[in-house]
Amino acid sequence: PLRYISKYRPFVKHEAEKNKSKWKTMGPAKVAVPSPNDFLQKHSKEPKLAPRKKEQDGKKVLPLSVPLRTYRPVIRTKKDFINKNAVAVIKGAPKEPRPFCVDTRQGDKYPLEPSGLVPKYIKKKNYGVLPKYVTRRNEEMKREKEEYEARVLEELKKKAMKSLPDEERTNVLKALKKNWEELNHAFQGLPVLTDTRYKQMHKEELELKLKQLEHDIEALERHKGVYIAN
């Protein structure tokens, strides 16, 4: 039997040949070669400005008065800096050598001033001056002491008390010490054996007087201000 052939076969074949690209993967068969006269020149891709018009409306265009960025004006002075510097060096004081400190046997040295070996603190303006808070505290203590003494004196005046002068206080102290020496001499002269009642009472009486005198002497020596009844 004969093979079946579709009646649309020529149409499909025509459509396939019509849409097919022969150089789809390998490129076109021939490529236009550029002309040797169309080579790339320097600054050819930069934008070009229109040429400047020399005359505009019949008038000559004046050049710009703004100097260029690379312009460096030449400044001329009449001063002779070389001679001036030479005279300053000749008349100037000689430079003092910097003090150094050597700390190794090989002679390694370093500047002395920032090393910490120079006592800079004694050169301060406030060196040896009492701080402000100490001075303020001393003034407050002195003022409180004066107020306390004035208050005590006022209380004593109300109670008819008077202060003992220094000269009288010294005389009383000397008299108390003299009495203590006399009683002590008498105490040292007592017999060793106290076999009677009288001897025991006499010894106890001397001991009490000595203790009282020692107490009074200590009180006068410890307190400078003594007040007594008027």
Side-chain angles (χ1 to χ4, degrees), residues 11-222:
F11 178 74
V12 173
K13 187 175 181 181
H14 174 70
E15 289 292 334
E17 291 177 356
K18 179 180 178 182
N19 297 328
K20 188 175 181 181
S21 300
K22 297 181 181 181
W23 57 83
K24 190 170 184 179
T25 57
M26 300 300 294
K30 291 184 179 181
V31 179
V33 180
S35 175
N37 297 328
D38 298 336
F39 59 89
L40 186 64
Q41 297 182 0
K42 186 178 182 181
H43 303 295
S44 62
K45 294 185 177 182
E46 294 180 358
K48 296 182 180 179
L49 301 176
R52 184 181 179 185
K53 295 181 180 181
K54 295 184 179 180
E55 294 183 2
Q56 192 174 20
D57 299 334
K59 297 181 180 179
K60 189 175 181 180
V61 180
L62 298 177
L64 296 176
S65 60
V66 180
L68 298 177
R69 182 175 294 181
T70 58
Y71 173 72
R72 294 292 183 270
V74 179
I75 301 174
R76 297 180 180 179
T77 57
K78 297 182 180 180
K79 294 183 180 180
D80 191 354
F81 292 100
I82 298 177
N83 293 338
K84 184 179 179 181
N85 295 338
V87 171
V89 171
I90 293 171
K91 292 184 177 181
K95 188 176 180 181
E96 297 182 359
R98 295 180 60 188
F100 287 94
C101 178
V102 180
D103 60 347
T104 59
R105 301 174 66 181
Q106 287 75 18
D108 297 335
K109 61 181 181 179
Y110 52 89
L112 181 62
E113 187 174 355
S115 64
L117 300 176
V118 180
K120 293 184 179 181
Y121 59 90
I122 62 174
K123 299 180 181 179
K124 293 182 178 179
K125 294 182 180 180
N126 56 352
Y127 177 75
V129 181
L130 281 176
K132 292 182 179 180
Y133 73 93
V134 176
T135 307
R136 186 168 60 253
R137 180 60 180 166
N138 292 339
E139 292 177 356
E140 292 177 358
M141 293 175 63
K142 184 178 179 182
R143 185 171 61 254
E144 291 176 359
K145 183 178 179 181
E146 292 176 354
E147 293 176 357
Y148 173 76
E149 291 180 353
R151 188 167 59 252
V152 170
L153 185 60
E154 186 177 358
E155 293 291 334
L156 292 176
K157 287 181 179 179
K158 292 180 180 179
K159 296 179 181 179
M161 301 288 286
K162 69 175 184 177
S163 175
L164 188 67
D166 293 340
E167 184 178 358
E168 189 174 352
R169 171 178 165 274
T170 305
N171 295 334
V172 171
L173 189 61
K174 289 181 179 179
L176 290 175
K177 289 182 178 181
K178 185 177 181 181
N179 291 340
W180 184 87
E181 291 177 358
E182 293 177 357
L183 290 176
N184 187 38
H185 181 70
F187 183 79
Q188 295 292 335
L190 290 176
V192 179
L193 182 62
T194 56
D195 51 353
T196 61
R197 183 61 182 168
Y198 173 77
K199 292 181 180 179
Q200 293 179 359
M201 292 176 61
H202 186 52
K203 182 179 179 182
E204 292 177 358
E205 183 180 359
L206 291 178
E207 289 178 349
L208 290 174
K209 289 182 179 181
L210 286 173
K211 287 182 181 180
Q212 184 64 35
L213 287 173
E214 289 174 357
H215 178 268
D216 296 341
I217 292 171
E218 183 182 0
L220 286 175
E221 288 180 347
R222 186 170 65 250

Side-chain angles (χ1 to χ4, degrees), residues 1-16:
L2 296 176
R3 187 179 58 170
Y4 172 77
I5 298 174
S6 176
K7 63 179 181 178
Y8 298 104
R9 181 178 180 183
F11 178 74
V12 173
K13 187 175 181 181
H14 174 70
E15 289 292 334

